[in-house]
Amino acid sequence: MRFRTVGGAGLLTRNDPFLEWQRRRAEAGLWPYFRHFATALHPHAVVVSERGEVTEGVNFGAQDYLSLSTHPAVREAAVRALRDFGPIAAGSPALGGATPASKALEAGLAQALGAEHVVLFPTGWAAGFGTIRSLMNRRDHVLLDRLAHDSLRQGAAASGAAVQFFDHLDNADVRARLHAIRSTDTANAVLVVTEGVFSMDSDTPRLAELLGLCREYDARLLVDVAHDFGAMGQDGTGQLGLQGVLDEVDLVVGAFSKSFATTGGFLATRSASVREFVRMFGGPQTFSSALTPVQVAVAQATHDIIRSPEGALRREKVAAVARRLREGLAARGHRTMGDVVCPVVPVFLGTTAVGRIASGLVARRGLITHLVEQPAVASDAARFRLQAMADHAEQDADLAVDILDTCIREAHESRPVPATP
Ligand SMILES: Cc1ncc(COP(=O)(O)O)c(C=O)c1O
């Protein structure tokens, strides 16, 4: 049964079969979602499933790449902001939600990204969605990488523009599509959308080449740097810095939720009118409350660390953990995906059924990590998504490799029947 396309008049009951399927998976110990962390995001942590099953062990399941959520200076900044400004902003950014601290954060991010203007959003999701939805309209064209994040896809769909997906990282496909569009339409805007690092696959586009194509066909480029900004490159400038295109990408959107130890997102651009238009019509800018003083203070404190020698050291440490995971798994015959040394290490599992069984086994053996299965990825390409942190020790990586090796083998040996969606 395809749960996502279920129909019928019974809006409140037509998803009952989905609930039943989900319950049976949970009863079998094969439902890894909606667990909660019962501890802070340390390398060793405790998560609890909704049925009360506890996994206490090594934590490769948190998005805190630089381990800044537990940094004393970051926590102190949060406490100070709470004490001085309280727990909430006055309203949406359009209606008094900005503060001197949020203005300073925007200026610092603009400088770091070689852009003159930054617009803050309540989440990274809202930044991608709000930017594309507001800038593009139904006469325009949006070309997205086939694996682009949900926020970018939904922003494109909601804008009403003609949407096409190009093959993952395939600049030749981008060229062919741009050529076809520009052969018949030179009057409307074209936006090409990609990511700095695709976290499910740990790979990156050739950005300078992509920019060249955009220039050739009068298209603009948007790059979502949620996973690499802060975590990679000189001063944390991510793939834009590493690939030498920092001042050139037209629209950069990002998230604080991976390396900046808080929630929130941003758009960075050199265009003053883009900034003003997105501020006014970018949905969450007008109709959703602004980042709280605590979120702003944490983003500022982490950005200060990210640009300091300590930030460089933390990036080196997290890269070393990721490398050790990759090498350890390869030595045991397992396949890690991608060619970018970033904090996310995808470990290939195979079919959805193997993935689900392996995910139950690792939780019982004391490894906190996440299963990625269909429909997020193809039904024969389930994987674990390990998230390394700067504070992990070598032994943590080695323990994770041991547990993964045992459990992935066991899952394959159990010869599971094909899974239903
Ligand atoms: C590429 C990309 N963009 C945006 C987001 C959303 O960020 P946030 O969780 O801060 O809303 C994510 C998070 O998963 C992401 O991977």
Side-chain angles (χ1 to χ4, degrees):
M1 179 171 190
R2 296 247 160 247
F3 295 123
R4 291 291 295 276
T5 51
V6 71
L11 188 59
L12 302 186
T13 52
R14 67 188 189 186
N15 296 311
D16 288 356
F18 166 72
L19 178 64
E20 181 51 31
W21 169 82
Q22 184 269 337
R23 273 199 190 130
R24 276 192 275 115
R25 256 186 88 170
E27 273 164 23
L30 300 174
W31 183 252
Y33 307 111
F34 298 99
R35 295 181 292 175
H36 67 267
F37 270 82
T39 56
L41 307 182
H42 294 294
H44 290 253
V46 177
V47 297
V48 184
S49 78
E50 289 190 311
R51 293 168 54 83
E53 293 130 345
V54 175
T55 299
E56 178 167 6
V58 64
N59 172 21
F60 281 92
Q63 291 189 146
D64 184 17
Y65 300 158
L66 300 180
S67 291
L68 291 175
S69 76
T70 48
H71 192 293
V74 173
R75 290 186 165 199
E76 183 49 38
V79 169
R80 219 178 310 122
L82 182 62
R83 198 180 49 223
D84 295 348
F85 292 96
I88 186 135
S92 73
L95 300 175
T99 61
S102 68
K103 293 282 156 207
L105 177 61
E106 287 179 352
L109 291 169
Q111 194 209 18
L113 287 161
E116 280 153 53
H117 309 286
V118 161
V119 182
L120 295 176
F121 281 87
T123 63
W125 197 97
F129 177 85
T131 297
I132 300 178
R133 214 241 358 160
S134 59
L135 285 179
M136 306 308 285
N137 65 49
R138 60 186 180 75
R139 289 176 300 279
D140 295 331
H141 307 264
V142 184
L143 290 182
L144 300 110
D145 187 290
R146 213 170 275 295
L147 301 189
H149 189 258
D150 178 76
S151 53
L152 309 168
R153 291 162 175 263
Q154 293 215 35
S159 75
V163 175
Q164 296 186 29
F165 292 95
F166 56 89
D167 290 342
H168 182 50
L169 306 184
D170 187 343
N171 287 353
D173 194 22
V174 177
R175 173 187 284 283
R177 289 170 189 275
L178 284 173
H179 186 78
I181 290 170
R182 282 306 186 212
S183 306
T184 55
D185 183 359
T186 52
N188 294 294
V190 181
L191 181 66
V192 175
V193 178
T194 188
E195 299 182 15
V197 168
F198 287 83
S199 64
M200 299 293 184
D201 290 57
S202 207
D203 51 13
T204 182
R206 293 185 306 283
L207 289 168
E209 188 180 294
L210 204 49
L211 260 171
L213 286 175
C214 289
R215 300 288 177 264
E216 193 179 331
Y217 289 98
D218 191 23
R220 302 280 83 82
L221 181 64
L222 180 149
V223 182
D224 184 331
V225 297
H227 291 276
D228 51 311
F229 181 53
M232 304 172 75
Q234 173 94 29
D235 295 329
T237 50
Q239 285 296 328
L240 301 185
L242 284 167
Q243 298 193 37
V245 293
L246 201 51
D247 300 342
E248 295 178 50
V249 173
D250 304 295
L251 303 166
V252 179
V253 295
F256 297 140
S257 51
K258 330 290 173 193
S259 297
F260 291 74
T262 186
T263 45
F266 62 84
L267 158 69
T269 174
R270 287 187 308 281
S271 164
S273 63
V274 161
R275 180 229 189 196
E276 209 48 45
F277 192 82
V278 170
R279 285 205 320 169
M280 203 58 215
F281 300 106
Q285 284 296 302
T286 313
F287 299 109
S288 192
S289 288
L291 293 177
T292 69
V294 173
Q295 289 171 293
V296 171
V298 169
Q300 182 67 63
T302 51
H303 196 206
D304 289 345
I305 295 171
I306 280 166
R307 287 179 292 179
S308 75
E310 181 184 350
L313 192 64
R314 284 175 180 265
R315 281 188 289 281
E316 272 170 35
K317 285 173 75 178
V318 71
V321 176
R323 243 182 253 113
R324 194 161 180 103
L325 283 170
R326 284 181 180 275
E327 286 164 9
L329 286 160
R332 312 268 187 107
H334 299 286
R335 178 179 149 207
T336 56
M337 304 172 69
D339 49 10
V340 172
V341 178
C342 81
V344 183
V345 179
V347 185
F348 186 81
L349 296 170
T351 63
T352 305
V354 167
R356 289 175 184 169
I357 290 170
S359 133
L361 291 171
V362 296
R364 288 193 280 284
R365 290 247 165 72
L367 169 63
I368 302 168
T369 186
H370 297 296
L371 171 67
V372 184
E373 58 169 309
Q374 66 175 38
V377 292
S379 60
D380 58 353
R383 64 201 69 170
F384 282 130
R385 172 185 155 133
L386 271 71
Q387 290 160 166
M389 297 191 292
D391 280 356
H392 278 128
E394 285 187 346
Q395 298 90 301
D396 297 325
D398 296 346
L399 179 57
V401 168
D402 281 345
I403 295 174
L404 286 165
D405 182 44
T406 310
C407 296
I408 295 171
R409 280 178 205 291
E410 266 179 46
H412 278 285
E413 280 157 16
S414 69
R415 296 190 187 288
V417 290
T420 51

